[in-house]
């Protein structure tokens, strides 16, 4: 690998000390752990069959199938999914913080989208097959010169009406509130935000966090960091009792055509790393106009009328005053809209 390639690769400062000691993780019985293992193997086998079907399914059915598979797989691992807010109803660039390999399942369970992933994923058994069938955009992180082509592919996908999801930090870290030094040094990398600007698509930040369901206390048990082995990490999740993943959907950011992608990335990063209490005060499915981003200013909170326009038409829209929590116990049936929409110039 070239020197430029090594310098460009994202890295976090997390290590084994960021993970909880084995004795502090509530554990299920060996019988329950064996049952979970069999359930996970079953969902992975179903994923292999799904990979063959995805390319021929209509967009709406493909999204519903991915959402259902991801939710059942989380249940097989014994992980409870909690969603705060409502996913966008139009194609968008979804951006989230990155803690664990479980993040992908959590994101697909909430808002099925074409993922952006490192090239090595394609060679992983079964996972690579499913990623290819789902239209994953692969990134060669060792070749910075290939990045413009990746941005162009994401732009084309957004223009074609496909939602795209990316972890802009480029690597995982423990996500603990007091572990700021562990964050990837450059934070949310701005390159792929240019795709949303070029496509006239909104950017929707999501916050992914892990906690114990019984107490609500955050945990790093699901984190995949440092020299942690994937099998060891999977085993830790299978053994954990009461692990919960919470996905909070923030207000959509609507960049102007001349928006600054770096400022857009910083604004999205602030939303993705905001404390859960602050995220809950943002209107679900809300909207922020970022026509002023090109001038280097950050707009204020969305108005109630704007939030209503973003959610309309349809009854039962979330209250503008706060989030409405939904605990997911079974796969949803609603499909992601497959129609193409284009942002009005100047938003």
């Amino acid at each position: 690998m070239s020197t430029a390639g090594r310098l460009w690769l994202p890295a976090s400062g997390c290590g084994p000390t960021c993970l909880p000691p084995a004795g502090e993780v509530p554990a299920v019985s060996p019988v329950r752990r064996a049952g979970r293992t069999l359930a996970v193997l079953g969902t992975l086998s179903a994923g292999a069959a799904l990979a063959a079907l995805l390319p021929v399914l209509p967009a709406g059915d493909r999204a519903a199938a991915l959402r259902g598979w991801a939710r059942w797989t989380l249940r097989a691992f014994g992980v409870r999914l909690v969603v705060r807010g409502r996913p966008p109803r139009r194609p968008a660039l979804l951006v989230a913080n990155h803690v664990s390999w479980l993040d992908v399942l959590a994101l697909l369970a909430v808002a099925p989208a074409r993922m952006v992933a490192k090239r090595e994923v394609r060679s992983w058994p079964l996972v690579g097959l499913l990623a290819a069938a789902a239209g994953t955009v692969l990134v060669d992180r060792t070749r910075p010169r290939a990045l413009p082509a990746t941005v162009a592919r994401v732009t084309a996908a957004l223009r074609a009406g496909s939602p795209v999801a990316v972890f802009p930090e480029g690597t995982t870290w423990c996500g603990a509130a007091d572990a700021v030094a562990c964050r990837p040094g450059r934070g949310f990398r701005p390159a792929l935000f240019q795709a949303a600007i070029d496509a006239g698509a909104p950017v929707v930040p999501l916050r992914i966090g892990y906690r114990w369901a019984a107490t609500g206390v955050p945990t790093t048990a699901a984190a995949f960091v440092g020299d942690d082995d994937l099998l060891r990490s999977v085993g830790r999740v299978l053994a954990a009792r009461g692990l919960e993943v919470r996905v909070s959907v923030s207000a959509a950011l609507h960049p102007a055509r001349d928006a600054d992608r770096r400022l857009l990335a910083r604004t999205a990063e602030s939303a993705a790393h905001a404390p859960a209490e602050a995220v809950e005060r943002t209107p679900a499915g809300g909207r922020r106009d970022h026509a002023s981003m090109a001038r280097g200013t950050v707009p204020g909170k969305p108005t109630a009328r704007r939030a209503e326009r973003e959610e309309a038409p349809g009854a039962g829209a979330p209250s503008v005053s706060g989030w409405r929590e939904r605990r997911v116990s079974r796969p949803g049936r609603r499909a992601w809209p497959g129609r193409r929409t284009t942002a009005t110039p100047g938003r």
Side-chain angles (χ1 to χ4, degrees):
M1 186 189 305
S2 66
T3 302
R6 287 193 298 270
L7 292 174
W8 185 75
L9 281 175
S12 74
C14 289
T17 57
C18 296
L19 300 174
E24 294 183 5
V25 177
V28 297
S29 67
V31 174
R32 175 67 64 85
R33 192 180 313 176
R36 287 181 176 180
T37 302
L38 291 176
V40 169
L41 292 175
T43 58
L44 292 180
S45 299
L50 182 61
L53 293 175
L54 285 178
V56 300
L57 289 176
D61 293 340
R62 184 164 58 247
L66 278 173
R67 182 188 294 111
W69 176 81
R71 290 184 176 184
W72 281 112
T73 304
L74 284 174
R75 289 189 64 186
F77 273 107
V79 178
R80 177 183 298 177
L81 172 65
V82 176
V83 182
R84 291 183 178 272
R86 180 178 293 172
R89 296 182 178 181
R90 58 180 295 187
L93 182 68
L94 309 172
V95 296
N97 59 308
H98 203 10
V99 178
S100 171
W101 47 271
L102 273 173
D103 297 348
V104 177
L105 290 173
L107 199 153
L108 290 177
V110 174
R114 293 183 61 177
M115 301 294 303
V116 177
K118 58 184 180 181
R119 183 186 60 176
E120 292 82 355
V121 170
R122 184 64 183 88
S123 61
W124 292 0
L126 185 58
V127 175
L129 182 65
L130 190 60
T136 300
V137 178
L138 300 176
V139 180
D140 187 348
R141 301 189 301 171
T142 65
R143 296 179 59 230
R145 291 183 180 181
L147 189 56
T150 302
V151 174
R153 289 197 296 273
V154 173
T155 303
L158 291 170
R159 285 175 174 165
S162 297
V164 179
V166 62
F167 300 108
E169 288 164 326
T171 187
T172 55
W173 65 290
C174 69
D178 57 350
V180 178
C182 288
R183 286 191 187 183
R186 299 183 185 180
F188 274 23
R189 303 209 171 190
L192 289 176
F193 287 85
Q194 187 64 46
I197 296 171
D198 294 342
V203 175
V204 178
L206 294 92
R207 183 181 186 276
I208 301 176
Y210 296 86
R211 61 184 64 203
W212 300 118
T215 61
V217 176
T219 179
T220 60
F224 183 51
V225 295
D227 296 327
D228 200 14
D229 179 78
L230 179 60
L231 290 179
R232 183 164 57 246
S233 178
V234 169
R236 189 166 58 246
V237 171
L238 285 171
R241 174 166 47 86
L243 184 61
E244 177 182 284
V245 57
R246 181 166 297 189
V247 181
S248 300
V249 186
S250 297
L253 311 177
H254 291 258
R257 286 187 173 182
D258 58 349
D260 184 339
R261 66 174 180 269
R262 292 175 177 81
L263 179 56
L264 180 59
R266 289 200 299 271
T267 305
E269 182 176 12
S270 297
H273 289 300
E277 294 77 10
V279 174
E280 290 165 20
R281 288 195 295 268
T282 307
R287 159 181 174 168
R288 297 178 186 173
D289 286 314
H290 280 234
S292 59
M293 273 192 164
R295 300 192 295 274
T297 59
V298 179
K301 294 181 179 180
T303 64
R305 180 171 296 178
R306 286 177 178 171
E308 289 169 359
R309 283 204 304 266
E310 180 69 13
E311 287 298 329
S319 167
V320 174
S321 62
W323 293 120
R324 183 163 61 191
E325 180 175 325
R326 294 180 288 122
R327 289 187 181 271
V328 179
S329 59
R330 61 178 181 178
R333 296 181 180 178
R334 295 184 61 185
W336 189 290
R339 66 182 184 276
R340 174 179 175 176
T341 55
T342 305
T344 302
R347 284 185 177 178

